[in-house]
Amino acid sequence: MRAGPLMKSLGFSSEVSVESVAAFFPLPFSTKIVREGLAELVVPETGETQATTRLPAFYNPLSKPSRDLAVIVTGAYFSGRGCKLAAEPLAGTGARIIRLLLETGVVSEGVAGDISKWAVRMAEINAERNGLSGRLRVEHMDANLLLSKLAVTGRAEYVDIDPFGSPVRFLENGFRATERRGLIGISATDLAALSGSSRRTALWKYGLTLFKTNFFKETAIRALAGVAVSTASRLSLGAEPVLALAYRHFIRIFLKVDRGKSRAYQKRTQVRYLKHCKECLNTSVLNDLTEWEERCSVCASPNALLGPLWTGRLADEGLIEKILSSGFSSDPTYSEVLRVVGRLAEEIEDVPWSFQLSEVSRRAKTSPPKTRHVIERLKEAGYRASITHFDATSIKTDAPADVLTKIVGELAQKG
Ligand SMILES: C[S@@+](CC[C@H](N)C(=O)[O-])C[C@H]1O[C@@H](n2cnc3c(N)ncnc32)[C@H](O)[C@@H]1O
Ligand SMILES: [Zn+2]
């Protein structure tokens, strides 16, 4: 086991076993052992309460799907070429990086960091417990410092940013630390800001003009993706989501990262504003702000400006196919997230908004019809339409809002 700065500061050399250190300096809180994927982890005992930020070291069992997703996406993205180094600068008890090393079959080495000394201590214990002493280095360090260090001393092919709340202050160094043709995975749980419920936070934290729409989960994904792509472009990097989704309490976006001013420009041009009518739901992408119109072209109500948001695709078809045809697809560990990835594969790609059928039917003065029936009718009428992965009662379609409202009204009349 390689000793982190905490251990070194306690005077231990890198050869000293962490188990013996733990026996010498027992952890000042009770622990339990959990199994997650192939990992066996020592984590803080939370009693009746769920994991909270007040714990001395963080492990949230509810984030297992987020970690499952990191395993299957990384495994598929790097299959055939391998990932020499994966970095997790906000690692908590190490569950994610340990699972990446044990389960992907592609990650050779890892570096993990955390600001909490107890988290670092537990990540070290967990690395040892899972036989990864020679493959995982654990650092007691601020995430931005660790990422900057990697940017200078040797970038990681995969970087995973999994903070409490917003990832925004780690994005720039995250991109700097990501190897070219590499992958960065980003989580956010501050959905109030990103979905437009908290407009002030959206503005001061992200520089976004948002408000709550009937497609607020999609707004949250596209808002974070837009901020990430813009951050990368400032560093002359072209970043593009290869898989992005909203599930339960979190958003997760994986972006492939490549070098080059023209790539940076090409990706950045897909971060645009939407024009949205709250009255009739008429929505369109503005190529630039000269296309802005004060009033809705359908109902003449005032338009609202939303964004800037990533308006490109949220998933790479090839990567999804690789995931769904990989060994992960038959492993029950990943079945929950595979269902979500399967639904994501069905979504139409080039419409950066969606419609909540309850909102559409309210405008059609009817009760909501079945999602499946609306999709069928839209297709019969020559439009493209699909489900969305984040809401069973929302649809995506290239049909204008007024056409959709008419179809929903007609379906209700048919009974
Ligand atoms: C959501 S938890 C990480 C959970 C972990 N990624 C997992 O999947 O189990 C966020 C972690 O970031 C750590 N943290 C907060 N601020 C930090 C900073 N500035 N630098 C490094 N770690 C930090 C916290 O101690 C906490 O362990
Ligand atoms: Zn309108």
Side-chain angles (χ1 to χ4, degrees):
M1 182 88 196
R2 279 190 253 178
L6 169 76
M7 303 250 297
K8 285 192 185 134
S9 71
L10 290 172
F12 292 102
S13 75
S14 54
E15 279 73 45
V16 174
S17 141
V18 169
E19 296 282 16
S20 64
V21 176
F24 217 68
F25 288 103
L27 295 163
F29 47 89
S30 45
T31 57
K32 62 181 175 188
I33 293 173
V34 296
R35 286 204 72 86
E36 191 185 292
L38 292 181
E40 190 180 88
L41 302 160
V42 181
V43 301
E45 177 64 76
T46 51
E48 290 302 299
T49 56
Q50 283 301 339
T52 74
T53 53
R54 286 188 298 280
L55 283 173
F58 192 80
Y59 169 78
N60 186 356
L62 296 179
S63 297
K64 174 183 175 284
S66 166
R67 293 183 282 270
D68 293 342
L69 198 60
V71 169
I72 62 176
V73 172
T74 314
Y77 184 85
F78 291 102
S79 78
R81 67 173 162 123
C83 168
K84 285 199 225 60
L85 182 67
E88 193 191 5
L90 301 122
T93 48
R96 182 178 299 258
I97 189 87
I98 286 172
R99 290 193 56 200
L100 287 170
L101 286 160
L102 293 177
E103 295 170 40
T104 58
V106 294
V107 178
S108 307
E109 289 189 22
V111 54
D114 204 283
I115 199 82
S116 148
K117 67 177 180 182
W118 296 121
V120 169
R121 177 92 168 266
M122 294 194 85
E124 286 175 331
I125 290 169
N126 284 326
E128 173 100 347
R129 193 174 192 94
N130 288 280
L132 295 172
S133 306
R135 290 170 63 199
L136 179 60
R137 191 172 86 229
V138 187
E139 305 258 11
H140 183 198
M141 195 178 276
D142 172 76
N144 274 317
L145 282 179
L146 178 56
L147 290 166
S148 288
K149 198 170 131 187
L150 288 170
V152 175
T153 57
R155 292 186 287 255
E157 276 85 4
Y158 179 63
V159 172
D160 197 303
I161 310 268
D162 182 49
F164 298 131
S166 170
V168 72
R169 66 188 190 282
F170 305 113
L171 289 185
E172 184 154 329
N173 286 317
F175 280 112
R176 290 178 58 229
T178 307
E179 188 54 286
R180 309 312 171 230
R181 294 182 58 241
L183 191 68
I184 184 167
I186 301 165
S187 325
T189 54
D190 58 336
L191 301 194
L194 286 165
S195 65
S197 295
S198 179
R199 301 185 63 179
R200 290 162 62 112
T201 316
L203 184 63
W204 71 257
K205 189 167 272 184
Y206 290 100
L208 295 165
T209 303
L210 300 181
F211 53 88
K212 185 111 184 242
T213 61
N214 75 119
F215 53 93
F216 61 94
K217 285 197 185 161
E218 180 154 5
T219 300
I221 301 172
R222 293 186 178 280
L224 182 59
V227 170
V229 171
S230 307
T231 303
S233 86
R234 286 201 297 274
L235 302 167
S236 307
L237 298 172
E240 180 176 19
V242 290
L243 196 141
L245 52 78
Y247 186 61
R248 292 203 181 148
H249 65 292
F250 66 86
I251 304 175
R252 204 123 248 259
I253 304 179
F254 297 88
L255 302 108
K256 71 173 179 195
V257 182
D258 225 328
R259 193 205 310 261
K261 289 177 187 161
S262 61
R263 280 199 196 94
Y265 174 75
Q266 201 265 329
K267 305 304 176 202
R268 179 61 184 78
T269 56
Q270 295 177 73
V271 181
R272 299 182 192 167
Y273 283 94
L274 301 189
K275 185 177 65 178
H276 177 73
C277 172
K278 293 178 191 172
E279 209 55 49
C280 75
L281 307 181
N282 180 24
T283 311
S284 53
V285 177
L286 299 178
N287 291 314
D288 61 60
L289 287 176
T290 60
E291 293 181 3
W292 169 251
E293 288 162 324
E294 289 288 331
R295 302 251 157 211
C296 171
S297 56
V298 175
C299 74
S301 302
N303 274 322
L305 191 66
L306 190 72
L309 308 177
W310 169 255
T311 59
R313 60 183 191 181
L314 290 179
D316 178 279
E317 250 175 57
L319 182 69
I320 289 195
E321 263 168 38
K322 252 186 177 178
I323 291 172
L324 297 178
S325 61
S326 68
F328 300 121
S329 65
S330 53
D331 186 331
T333 305
Y334 312 103
S335 55
E336 184 178 354
V337 283
L338 283 164
R339 267 198 304 279
V340 187
V341 173
R343 289 207 296 274
L344 183 65
E346 288 184 44
E347 281 183 23
I348 60 172
E349 283 184 352
D350 51 353
V351 179
W353 59 80
S354 36
F355 295 97
Q356 223 166 37
L357 288 181
S358 56
E359 286 296 312
V360 178
S361 39
R362 200 160 61 77
R363 284 159 179 82
K365 300 191 172 41
T366 64
S367 49
K370 287 212 161 62
T371 311
R372 183 164 49 85
H373 292 165
V374 181
I375 292 174
E376 277 165 16
R377 276 301 319 278
L378 283 163
K379 287 183 176 168
E380 281 163 19
Y383 294 101
R384 289 177 306 122
S386 74
I387 56 161
T388 64
H389 73 275
F390 46 75
D391 182 2
T393 62
S394 285
I395 62 156
K396 292 182 84 65
T397 179
D398 60 350
D402 53 339
V403 172
L404 174 63
T405 310
K406 193 159 158 266
I407 283 176
V408 165
E410 286 166 3
L411 272 171
Q413 272 171 20
K414 271 193 181 172

